[in-house]
Amino acid sequence: MIVTTSILKETYRDYTNPLAKIKREADKGTIIRLAKGIYETDKNTDPCLLASSILSPSYLSFDWALSYYGLIPEKVFPITSASLKLRKNRTFENQFGRYEYSDIPVNAFSEGLTYLESGDYTVKIAMKEKAICDSLCKWRVVKNIAELKVLLFEDKRLDEEEFASCDFDFMNRLALLYNKMNLRLLIKLIRKEYSK
């Protein structure tokens, strides 16, 4: 269970120094520090379920989500999330792993999300179409459709069959929200090769 310093201070209110008790419990491994003021009580929690508690607002996206959906062949070790108005990338490391956060445009942030749920945990995750759009927002900028296809299917090794199973009407609507060159090219690629 995720707990904050204020919850723990209340839990340990009968101690002379609740903050010292929190530090002792963290040193023993009874509670695990995720980030400043945020702890997890169960060392067996799936690391991805903690991402949005470490930094909020955020949701799982980029390479981690692409791997989750089977769009890329690699298992991704850093847990990657989209964030809002950080102005620079942020990284957190703790006992559960490495968490990386990158901003995406405000207009696109709240669209195309779903939830991963496990027990008492719920975390937002980009739908696969959204994870592709978010990633294209961060990957190197390309100049034309041919370069975009190389970026997607050769450089980033997206599975072409899995990509072809996307909801392209939905992806097209999402891509319009970013105002980025790669996303404008994605719209052209969809119109040229994937529109029915």
Side-chain angles (χ1 to χ4, degrees):
M1 180 172 76
I2 293 169
V3 290
T4 62
T5 299
S6 58
I7 291 169
L8 290 169
K9 281 165 77 174
E10 179 62 25
T11 303
Y12 301 135
R13 69 182 177 278
D14 294 337
Y15 285 80
T16 308
N17 187 340
L19 288 174
K21 172 65 172 168
I22 292 168
K23 184 178 182 327
R24 285 195 302 277
E25 293 303 313
D27 290 344
K28 282 195 308 191
T30 312
I31 57 174
I32 301 151
R33 186 176 186 272
L34 301 177
K36 185 175 181 180
I38 305 166
Y39 299 84
E40 172 57 50
T41 60
D42 181 358
K43 67 179 186 297
N44 297 313
T45 301
D46 186 331
C48 74
L49 298 171
L50 306 173
S52 60
S53 295
I54 292 170
L55 184 71
S56 182
S58 67
Y59 59 86
L60 295 164
S61 191
F62 308 118
D63 286 359
W64 192 91
L66 295 177
S67 176
Y68 175 80
Y69 291 118
L71 280 157
I72 57 174
E74 299 84 11
K75 180 162 175 49
V76 175
F77 290 104
I79 296 168
T80 54
S81 296
S83 52
L84 192 61
K85 296 184 179 178
L86 288 181
R87 292 186 296 279
K88 63 177 185 175
N89 295 344
R90 295 279 308 272
T91 300
F92 297 85
E93 292 200 45
N94 56 47
Q95 190 174 318
F96 290 95
R98 180 181 173 93
Y99 294 82
E100 298 176 354
Y101 299 83
S102 299
D103 277 356
I104 65 156
V106 173
N107 289 345
F109 187 80
S110 60
E111 300 295 324
L113 303 178
T114 186
Y115 294 92
L116 281 182
E117 295 183 41
S118 178
D120 294 333
Y121 297 85
T122 302
V123 63
K124 288 180 183 175
I125 181 172
M127 296 168 74
K128 72 178 183 177
E129 294 84 359
K130 167 81 161 193
I132 291 166
C133 290
D134 283 353
S135 297
L136 282 169
C137 178
K138 291 296 168 189
W139 291 341
R140 67 178 169 82
V141 178
V142 294
K143 299 186 181 83
N144 54 51
I145 291 176
E147 285 186 18
L148 178 65
K149 289 175 75 172
V150 168
L151 176 65
L152 288 169
F153 304 121
E154 293 178 31
D155 296 354
K156 300 301 181 178
R157 297 171 56 213
L158 261 66
D159 183 291
E160 292 191 54
E161 284 185 28
E162 196 60 44
F163 182 83
S165 73
C166 287
D167 178 338
F168 290 106
D169 288 338
F170 178 52
M171 191 185 284
N172 191 71
R173 287 196 307 275
L174 288 173
L176 290 167
L177 301 173
Y178 291 80
N179 194 27
K180 300 273 184 182
M181 181 64 173
N182 283 357
L183 281 301
R184 288 193 284 274
L185 288 170
L186 177 65
I187 292 167
K188 289 181 179 177
L189 174 65
I190 290 169
R191 286 181 185 148
K192 182 181 174 196
E193 298 189 20
Y194 295 96
S195 290
K196 295 184 173 97

